[in-house]
Amino acid sequence: MYFWDKHKTITSYYELLSGEVCDQYELTQMEYDIIMFLHNNPHHNTAAEIVRIRKSTKSHVSSSLKKLENKGLIKRKQSKDNKKHIEIILLDKAEIIVKAGINAQKQFARDVLSGLTEEEKQWLLRETRNL
Protein backbone atom coordinates (compact mmCIF):
# COMPACT_ATOMS: atom_id res chain seq x y z
CA MET A 1 0.00 0.00 0.00
CA TYR A 2 2.91 2.34 0.70
CA PHE A 3 3.96 2.56 -2.97
CA TRP A 4 0.45 3.40 -4.15
CA ASP A 5 0.11 6.10 -1.50
CA LYS A 6 3.33 7.72 -2.75
CA HIS A 7 2.34 7.20 -6.38
CA LYS A 8 -0.84 9.23 -5.84
CA THR A 9 1.16 12.00 -4.15
CA ILE A 10 3.68 12.10 -7.00
CA THR A 11 1.03 12.18 -9.74
CA SER A 12 -0.94 14.83 -7.85
CA TYR A 13 2.18 16.99 -7.67
CA TYR A 14 2.79 16.61 -11.42
CA GLU A 15 -0.84 17.54 -12.09
CA LEU A 16 -0.41 20.62 -9.89
CA LEU A 17 2.63 21.81 -11.89
CA SER A 18 1.12 21.01 -15.28
CA GLY A 19 -2.18 22.53 -14.13
CA GLU A 20 -0.46 25.88 -13.72
CA VAL A 21 0.56 25.73 -17.39
CA CYS A 22 -2.99 24.72 -18.35
CA ASP A 23 -4.44 27.66 -16.43
CA GLN A 24 -1.96 30.10 -17.94
CA TYR A 25 -2.71 29.04 -21.53
CA GLU A 26 -6.38 28.09 -21.07
CA LEU A 27 -5.92 24.40 -21.85
CA THR A 28 -7.50 21.29 -20.48
CA GLN A 29 -5.17 18.70 -18.99
CA MET A 30 -5.77 16.46 -22.02
CA GLU A 31 -4.87 19.27 -24.46
CA TYR A 32 -1.67 19.96 -22.51
CA ASP A 33 -0.81 16.26 -22.39
CA ILE A 34 -1.28 15.93 -26.15
CA ILE A 35 0.93 18.95 -26.87
CA MET A 36 3.69 17.61 -24.64
CA PHE A 37 3.27 14.09 -26.04
CA LEU A 38 3.65 15.36 -29.61
CA HIS A 39 6.69 17.39 -28.64
CA ASN A 40 8.36 14.51 -26.80
CA ASN A 41 7.32 11.84 -29.33
CA PRO A 42 7.30 13.45 -32.80
CA HIS A 43 7.42 10.03 -34.49
CA HIS A 44 4.08 9.07 -32.83
CA ASN A 45 2.05 11.85 -34.41
CA THR A 46 -1.33 10.36 -35.22
CA ALA A 47 -4.50 10.28 -33.14
CA ALA A 48 -4.40 6.47 -33.14
CA GLU A 49 -0.89 6.47 -31.68
CA ILE A 50 -1.85 9.00 -29.00
CA VAL A 51 -4.80 6.79 -28.02
CA ARG A 52 -2.71 3.60 -28.06
CA ILE A 53 0.38 4.87 -26.23
CA ARG A 54 -1.27 7.20 -23.72
CA LYS A 55 -4.18 4.79 -23.11
CA SER A 56 -6.66 7.61 -23.69
CA THR A 57 -10.14 7.26 -25.14
CA LYS A 58 -10.69 8.02 -28.82
CA SER A 59 -13.43 10.52 -28.02
CA HIS A 60 -11.29 12.53 -25.58
CA VAL A 61 -8.32 12.62 -27.95
CA SER A 62 -10.53 13.54 -30.90
CA SER A 63 -12.29 16.40 -29.12
CA SER A 64 -9.01 17.70 -27.68
CA LEU A 65 -7.35 17.64 -31.10
CA LYS A 66 -10.28 19.59 -32.56
CA LYS A 67 -9.92 22.23 -29.81
CA LEU A 68 -6.15 22.43 -30.32
CA GLU A 69 -6.68 22.85 -34.05
CA ASN A 70 -9.26 25.61 -33.46
CA LYS A 71 -6.77 27.38 -31.17
CA GLY A 72 -4.15 27.26 -33.93
CA LEU A 73 -1.76 25.06 -31.94
CA ILE A 74 -1.76 22.02 -34.25
CA LYS A 75 -2.60 21.17 -37.82
CA ARG A 76 -3.55 17.89 -39.41
CA LYS A 77 -1.80 16.75 -42.56
CA GLN A 78 -3.31 14.01 -44.68
CA SER A 79 -0.91 11.57 -46.32
CA LYS A 80 -0.90 11.67 -50.12
CA ASP A 81 -0.49 7.88 -50.26
CA ASN A 82 -3.02 6.91 -47.59
CA LYS A 83 -6.06 9.14 -47.06
CA LYS A 84 -6.72 7.54 -43.66
CA HIS A 85 -3.24 8.43 -42.34
CA ILE A 86 -3.39 11.90 -40.82
CA GLU A 87 -0.33 13.32 -39.11
CA ILE A 88 -0.66 15.88 -36.34
CA ILE A 89 1.87 18.67 -36.42
CA LEU A 90 2.61 21.15 -33.65
CA LEU A 91 2.56 24.72 -34.92
CA ASP A 92 4.92 27.52 -33.88
CA LYS A 93 2.18 29.01 -31.70
CA ALA A 94 2.46 25.92 -29.43
CA GLU A 95 6.17 26.52 -28.77
CA ILE A 96 5.56 28.84 -25.79
CA ILE A 97 3.35 26.18 -24.20
CA VAL A 98 5.97 23.51 -24.86
CA LYS A 99 8.63 25.66 -23.17
CA ALA A 100 6.39 26.19 -20.15
CA GLY A 101 5.65 22.46 -20.08
CA ILE A 102 9.34 21.57 -20.23
CA ASN A 103 9.99 23.94 -17.34
CA ALA A 104 7.20 22.26 -15.33
CA GLN A 105 8.63 18.83 -16.14
CA LYS A 106 12.12 19.93 -15.10
CA GLN A 107 10.77 21.36 -11.84
CA PHE A 108 8.94 18.10 -11.20
CA ALA A 109 12.09 16.03 -11.86
CA ARG A 110 14.23 18.28 -9.62
CA ASP A 111 11.76 18.04 -6.77
CA VAL A 112 11.09 14.31 -7.07
CA LEU A 113 14.77 13.42 -7.38
CA SER A 114 16.00 15.89 -4.76
CA GLY A 115 16.62 13.27 -2.06
CA LEU A 116 18.65 10.93 -4.27
CA THR A 117 22.42 10.73 -4.50
CA GLU A 118 24.12 11.29 -7.86
CA GLU A 119 24.78 7.55 -8.07
CA GLU A 120 21.10 6.75 -7.48
CA LYS A 121 20.06 9.28 -10.13
CA GLN A 122 22.45 7.72 -12.67
CA TRP A 123 21.12 4.25 -11.87
CA LEU A 124 17.55 5.47 -12.31
CA LEU A 125 18.40 7.06 -15.67
CA ARG A 126 19.98 3.80 -16.89
CA GLU A 127 16.98 1.78 -15.76
CA THR A 128 14.37 4.06 -17.35
CA ARG A 129 16.19 4.00 -20.69
CA ASN A 130 15.57 0.25 -20.81
CA LEU A 131 11.78 0.59 -20.51
Side-chain angles (χ1 to χ4, degrees), residues 1 17 21-22 30 43 48 65 80 112 121 130:
M1 198 62 150
L17 292 174
V21 178
C22 292
M30 177 67 82
H43 51 287
L65 288 172
K80 292 175 184 165
V112 169
K121 289 177 188 176
N130 295 328

Side-chain angles (χ1 to χ4, degrees), residues 25-49:
Y25 295 101
E26 299 178 357
L27 299 169
T28 65
Q29 186 68 45
M30 177 67 82
E31 292 167 351
Y32 167 83
D33 290 342
I34 289 172
I35 288 172
M36 295 309 295
F37 178 84
L38 290 170
H39 171 74
N40 291 323
N41 303 280
H43 51 287
H44 295 296
N45 63 346
T46 66
E49 289 173 315

